[in-house]
Amino acid sequence: MRKVNFIIAIITVLVMASSVASASGIRTEFREFEITLVDDLYMGKKVDAIWTLSYDNSEKPVTVVKRKTVEGTEYVVSSEFFAVRYVASAVGFGAKEVRKAWSGVDNRINHAVLNEKELKNQEIISPNKVDDKMALGLIASYLPDLLNDGYTHLLN
């Protein structure tokens, strides 16, 4: 009888712990996103296009800025607390650290928010050439994984 009570107690604790972990909002799934082209904006010679990316009708969208560089086409994704770039080059499409000149985020904050291991994993997301539509879709899909646990709320 003691074994049965002990097993029931362990199962109860595990169920309660899993429900608390899912209710804490540490890692949210981002199933819906919206990408909107920013019109009527003077972008200058160095910027080709600007989009806003918002997840689940967020009031704090991130900005995606497209630039042509020597490396290829770069999409700088930034918010108030992080910045990263996705590059479409001859070797494929993937994530890289943002150039300091293109980021308004303090380097220490950026490193705290971004997951360095995941940034390395996303170096090449696709070996194929991508257009804007495909690039924006890949960015929207992979960006949430790039943020460390505890910082995904920055996308909501």
Side-chain angles (χ1 to χ4, degrees), residues 119-140:
L119 185 63
K120 184 77 172 157
N121 288 341
Q122 290 187 23
E123 272 186 356
I124 297 182
I125 295 171
S126 172
N128 301 323
K129 190 172 185 172
V130 298
D131 60 2
D132 286 344
K133 185 176 180 180
M134 176 66 86
L136 292 168
L138 289 170
I139 290 168

Side-chain angles (χ1 to χ4, degrees), residues 56-99:
D56 301 325
N57 299 320
S58 171
E59 294 179 13
K60 299 179 185 178
V62 296
T63 304
V64 181
V65 177
K66 177 184 175 184
R67 290 185 166 110
K68 299 275 187 188
T69 66
V70 176
E71 275 186 78
T73 304
E74 300 196 11
Y75 301 86
V76 178
V77 181
S78 60
S79 78
E80 186 179 353
F81 300 103
F82 70 89
V84 65
R85 65 187 169 127
Y86 285 85
V87 181
S89 66
V91 297
F93 180 80
K96 293 186 177 188
E97 283 192 30
V98 72
R99 295 182 174 139

Side-chain angles (χ1 to χ4, degrees), residues 7 9-10 20 22 25 30 35 45 56 72 87 94 109-110 120 132:
I7 291 173
I10 287 183
V20 168
S22 65
F30 297 93
I35 300 168
K45 293 180 182 178
D56 301 325
V87 181
I109 294 172
N110 204 40
K120 184 77 172 157
D132 286 344

Side-chain angles (χ1 to χ4, degrees), residues 3 9 34 38-39 44 52 64 68 91 95-96 99 102-103 112 114 118 128 131 136 140 146:
K3 272 188 174 177
E34 182 179 349
V38 176
D39 289 331
T52 57
V64 181
K68 299 275 187 188
V91 297
K96 293 186 177 188
R99 295 182 174 139
W102 292 357
S103 176
L114 296 179
E118 190 60 33
N128 301 323
D131 60 2
L136 292 168
L146 205 53

